[in-house]
Amino acid sequence: MKYNDTTIFTGDGQQVQAQAPVIVSASRATDIPAFYTRWFFDRLQKGYVRWRNPFSGRDSYVSFSNTRFIVFWSKNPAPLIPYLPILRDKGIGCYIQFTLNDYELESLEPGVSPLQQRIETFKRLVDMLGVGSVIWRFDPLVLTEKIDIENLIEKVTRIGDELKGYTEKLVFSFADIAGYKKVGRNLSQAGVNYREWEQASMLEFAARLSDINLKRWGHTLATCAETIDLSEYGIKHNRCIDPDLIALLSPDDAILQNFLYGATSDPGQRKACGCILSKDIGAYNTCPHCCLYCYANTSSTSAMANYRTHRSKRFSDSILLLVR
């Protein structure tokens, strides 16, 4: 099943063709909830966004006319909280992929709020949306000369204990720094001596995490876009845009349920990705978190330049206004 097309009128009166997805991803490419919530809900009210293809540089339009569900991705979705009733009033469901890491001591996430504050945000969102609607991600797992498997297990365990009763799932991935030259460059420039994951270290981490999970939490464990088979440890391959979860959270939405019945995998994602088709409306080089391992920013300089430009024209129809 593909996106439907529709005709819209832009703010300057042009009549254009637009994609009209049923499921919107907001967003793998940037942190819309943390930095662009006000912009997003303004665009939702106006009915469309302009989206720039990161590979071709061409702009196209995305209409919200058929949108029934939104998957939010964030490291700090606190700004979403006052806006969530708007989705309910519009009959649009949602869940949140909440990346809740602990790299405070290592300063790998310089723009992210303090960990305890993020944990409290997680709990508050669960109180509003319900258990299952906020998914805990520790993503990615980074190895450096200062962070080994023992450190990572300690970090994950600390957060997992805090979230007990507030989540049913933990999604994680192993940092693939060799696959993104800009990530290796940014880490090296910051003086971070990183290490790549190998199969043996992945298996060791999986075994230890599985043991802790069995003893303490009883979560579903899943990897994001990883090819390694960890099923012997009870760890699944995740579907971050998950038709089963969406169906569970929107049981009375017949239009959405019909879409999910015929939904196909998203051809725009990596081969190991299990997500179904959605439309991501974010833009690379726009996230001020400036995490040192981030694949979505070429550099913190370009990300901050784009963000400042957006702030000066925050009700534009697009996030990305300055440079690619």
Side-chain angles (χ1 to χ4, degrees), residues 12 92 131 324:
D12 57 5
I92 297 174
V131 175
R324 280 186 267 158

Side-chain angles (χ1 to χ4, degrees), residues 23 56 64 80 96 140 158 173 199 216 237 256 259 301 316:
I23 301 172
S56 70
F64 295 115
L80 272 180
I96 300 169
R158 176 193 169 187
S173 71
Q199 180 170 320
R216 303 171 84 109
H237 293 290
L256 180 57
F259 172 82
T301 301
S316 169

Side-chain angles (χ1 to χ4, degrees), residues 37 77-86 96 120-122 124-125 128:
T37 288
L80 272 180
I81 290 172
Y83 290 89
L84 290 174
I86 295 174
I96 300 169
E120 294 307 314
T121 294
F122 193 107
R124 188 176 176 190
L125 285 164
M128 295 181 68

Side-chain angles (χ1 to χ4, degrees), residues 198-215:
E198 299 175 348
Q199 180 170 320
S201 54
M202 292 181 190
L203 295 176
E204 179 186 349
F205 178 87
R208 295 189 61 180
L209 177 63
S210 178
D211 183 61
I212 289 170
N213 183 54
L214 287 172
K215 292 176 179 177

Side-chain angles (χ1 to χ4, degrees), residues 53-99:
N53 186 303
F55 303 106
S56 70
R58 295 177 181 175
D59 287 350
S60 61
Y61 290 88
V62 180
S63 167
F64 295 115
S65 59
N66 292 334
T67 298
R68 314 294 295 188
F69 205 92
I70 300 169
V71 177
F72 292 105
W73 310 68
S74 185
K75 291 181 178 174
N76 179 25
L80 272 180
I81 290 172
Y83 290 89
L84 290 174
I86 295 174
L87 296 181
R88 184 180 62 241
D89 293 344
K90 289 181 173 292
I92 297 174
C94 76
Y95 64 76
I96 300 169
Q97 295 278 357
F98 194 147
T99 298

Side-chain angles (χ1 to χ4, degrees), residues 143-311:
L143 291 175
T144 73
E145 64 177 359
K146 296 181 180 179
I147 306 174
D148 58 16
I149 290 176
E150 181 67 30
N151 298 137
L152 287 172
I153 288 293
E154 290 174 358
K155 292 173 183 294
V156 173
T157 301
R158 176 193 169 187
I159 297 174
D161 287 348
E162 288 259 16
L163 296 183
K164 189 172 182 179
Y166 286 89
T167 188
E168 302 171 329
K169 191 174 193 178
L170 167 57
V171 179
F172 63 94
S173 71
F174 302 104
D176 177 18
I177 297 168
Y180 299 92
K181 291 183 179 180
K182 61 186 176 184
V183 175
R185 182 189 67 235
N186 291 339
L187 286 169
S188 296
Q189 288 176 348
V192 177
N193 295 317
Y194 61 88
R195 294 185 290 128
E196 295 288 350
W197 286 89
E198 299 175 348
Q199 180 170 320
S201 54
M202 292 181 190
L203 295 176
E204 179 186 349
F205 178 87
R208 295 189 61 180
L209 177 63
S210 178
D211 183 61
I212 289 170
N213 183 54
L214 287 172
K215 292 176 179 177
R216 303 171 84 109
W217 312 320
H219 295 337
T220 296
L221 301 179
T223 56
C224 177
E226 295 287 352
T227 57
I228 190 169
D229 182 1
L230 301 177
S231 58
E232 66 176 297
Y233 306 106
I235 299 173
K236 303 177 179 180
H237 293 290
N238 199 50
R239 306 182 81 180
C240 299
I241 309 290
D242 184 349
D244 296 331
L245 179 57
I246 293 171
L248 181 66
L249 296 177
S250 301
D252 300 322
D253 189 329
I255 294 173
L256 180 57
Q257 295 285 341
N258 184 62
F259 172 82
L260 294 172
Y261 180 76
T264 58
S265 60
D266 190 336
Q269 302 304 318
R270 291 170 286 180
K271 289 183 178 180
C273 178
C275 291
I276 62 167
L277 187 66
S278 66
K279 178 58 187 174
D280 197 296
I281 60 166
Y284 293 126
N285 284 317
T286 61
C287 183
H289 283 318
C290 297
C291 300
L292 300 185
Y293 55 76
C294 182
Y295 70 88
N297 287 342
T298 301
S299 69
S300 60
T301 301
S302 63
M304 293 306 300
N306 280 320
Y307 181 61
R308 285 192 294 269
T309 300
H310 173 89
R311 292 277 295 177

